């Protein structure tokens, strides 16, 4: 009997990460799910444990000691991480640099860049030891374009794309695939986080728009994982049909 593949997903407590955990559980993966909100993590684990083996690791990707000790705590089959999905990420605030809140910048840089680097440094050796693996970094349209007031968030996602490109070269000898998924607008808790809990402002982002769903992005992730060994998707820019560029949306009433 061949054992099931193991996927480690950061930020599986909501949005794209949670949808991906659910889809991969249905498609034969054992899961290591992570996030800071323990109750949410427990709920996802409870729901998926009837379908597949689930290990939950509760840590903040910004805390390097916690990242390394969580990954070092993996034992038995859980060391055999086949797939790493670096999904945990966020935008905090939306404003010009000259009015910027430095703590917001730190949260974005520490999560979207340094958190991903810590995860890569912790997990890649496990993949190299087995001469196989697939790393999927969840980037953004904000890595391909910039927009007014998006300065630091766009910067973190541009940096992530650069890191993704470099590691693809570094990991070539080890048969480790590296894929970047760059979504446009997806309706998740992203805007609620960006606007620090202001529900009205967050809901306005999606009002009369036709965003992607987290399940749409999960489908793309599964597709990339299902590619045969000789094929890899380097990068997938996946947009709502009603979004031509980061700030150009066709609303439900047809207005642009
Ligand atoms: P959500 O806010 O719904 O989910 C974000 C996830 O990241 C949560 O599970 C959260 O878990 C986790 N997370 C955030 N900070 C940390 C941290 N410091 N340590 C551990 N986990 C953390 O948003 P999305 O699903 O939309 O976001 C997922 C990814 O998709 C992000 O990288 C985002 O930049 C990217 N993206 C989103 C788009 C969108 O329009 N929604 C478009 C393009 C890209 P918890 O709070 O429990 O720690
Ligand atoms: C999230 C998409 O357009 O809000 O990565 O930056 S956007």
């Amino acid at each position: 009997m061949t054992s099931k593949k193991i996927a480690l997903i950061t930020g599986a407590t909501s949005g794209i990460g949670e949808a991906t955990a659910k889809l991969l559980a249905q498609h034969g993966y054992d899961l290591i799910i992570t996030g800071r909100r323990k109750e949410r993590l427990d709920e996802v684990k409870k729901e998926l444990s009837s379908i597949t083996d689930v290990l939950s690791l509760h840590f903040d990707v910004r805390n390097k000691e916690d990242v390394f000790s969580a990954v070092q705590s993996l034992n038995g089959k859980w060391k055999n991480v086949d797939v790493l999905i670096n999904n945990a990420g966020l935008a905090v605030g939306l404003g010009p640099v000259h009015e910027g809140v430095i703590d917001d910048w730190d949260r974005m840089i520490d999560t979207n860049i340094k958190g991903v680097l810590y995860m890569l440094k912790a997990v890649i050796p496990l993949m190299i030891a087995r001469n196989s693996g697939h790393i999927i970094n969840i980037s953004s349209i904000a890595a391909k374009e910039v927009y007014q007031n998006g300065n630091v968030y766009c910067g973190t996602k541009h940096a992530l794309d650069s890191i993704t490109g470099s590691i693809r070269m570094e990991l070539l000898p080890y048969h480790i695939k590296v894929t970047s998924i760059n979504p446009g607008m997806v309706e998740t808790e992203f805007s609620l986080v960006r606007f620090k809990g202001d529900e009205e402002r967050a809901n306005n982002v999606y009002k009369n728009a036709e965003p992607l769903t987290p399940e749409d992005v999960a489908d793309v992730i599964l597709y990339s994982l299902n590619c045969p060994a000789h094929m890899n998707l380097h990068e997938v820019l996946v947009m709502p049909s009603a979004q031509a560029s980061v700030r150009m949306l066709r609303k439900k009433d047809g207005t642009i």
Side-chain angles (χ1 to χ4, degrees):
M1 199 185 82
T2 51
S3 55
K4 290 167 87 173
K5 284 195 169 182
I6 294 175
L8 191 168
I9 305 170
T10 65
T13 53
S14 66
I16 294 168
E18 182 179 1
T20 303
K22 290 180 178 171
L23 191 66
L24 295 192
Q26 289 156 15
H27 284 80
Y29 284 81
D30 287 332
L31 297 175
I32 304 171
I33 54 171
T34 85
R36 290 167 303 175
R37 286 170 292 179
K38 175 116 180 28
E39 326 73 58
R40 292 272 197 109
L41 210 51
D42 291 344
E43 276 169 33
V44 177
K45 180 175 177 176
K46 193 170 166 206
E47 180 182 341
L48 300 184
S49 289
S50 59
I51 311 176
T52 198
D53 290 351
V54 183
L55 177 73
S56 64
L57 296 175
H58 173 228
F59 63 87
D60 185 325
V61 294
R62 292 173 297 177
N63 184 322
K64 54 179 174 290
E65 285 82 19
D66 288 356
V67 170
F68 293 119
S69 74
V71 175
Q72 273 158 18
S73 77
L74 297 174
N75 55 38
K77 75 168 184 178
W78 294 112
K79 274 190 170 156
N80 300 332
V81 177
D82 295 287
V83 174
L84 168 65
I85 304 178
N86 282 310
N87 164 75
L90 78 182
V92 194
L94 186 69
V97 166
H98 60 272
E99 291 170 11
V101 178
I102 291 175
D103 185 54
D104 293 350
W105 301 350
D106 288 342
R107 284 177 63 193
M108 290 186 272
I109 292 166
D110 290 350
T111 309
N112 301 354
I113 305 177
K114 292 169 74 179
V116 172
L117 287 168
Y118 300 151
M119 288 302 304
L120 293 170
K121 184 164 170 57
V123 174
I124 286 172
L126 302 177
M127 293 181 167
I128 288 181
R130 298 169 61 233
N131 213 30
S132 74
H134 195 158
I135 295 168
I136 298 186
N137 289 338
I138 306 302
S139 184
S140 172
I141 178 66
K144 303 298 172 198
E145 299 179 29
V146 294
Y147 52 94
Q148 190 181 9
N149 299 330
N151 40 64
V152 175
Y153 179 70
C154 295
T156 64
K157 291 298 186 178
H158 276 69
L160 179 59
D161 273 15
S162 299
I163 292 163
T164 303
S166 290
I167 64 169
R168 186 178 297 115
M169 294 172 185
E170 293 155 15
L171 300 179
L172 189 65
Y174 306 105
H175 302 262
I176 298 170
K177 295 187 191 184
V178 180
T179 296
S180 179
I181 311 272
N182 296 57
M185 181 192 273
V186 192
E187 186 164 2
T188 64
E189 294 177 18
F190 179 86
S191 294
L192 194 62
V193 172
R194 166 169 259 174
F195 299 124
K196 303 178 182 178
D198 183 336
E199 285 186 22
E200 196 182 338
R201 210 170 160 200
N203 291 338
N204 249 334
V205 172
Y206 308 111
K207 201 169 162 191
N208 296 320
E210 293 178 276
L212 297 171
T213 66
E215 290 76 19
D216 294 328
V217 182
D219 279 340
V220 177
I221 292 171
L222 181 64
Y223 181 86
S224 78
L225 292 174
N226 281 339
C227 288
H230 71 275
M231 170 180 166
N232 181 41
L233 301 183
H234 277 204
E235 208 171 77
V236 184
L237 180 59
V238 50
M239 302 291 287
S241 307
Q243 186 178 23
S245 78
V246 75
R247 283 288 184 256
M248 190 174 183
L249 293 164
R250 186 185 61 236
K251 296 285 188 168
K252 281 183 184 158
D253 64 6
T255 57
I256 307 283

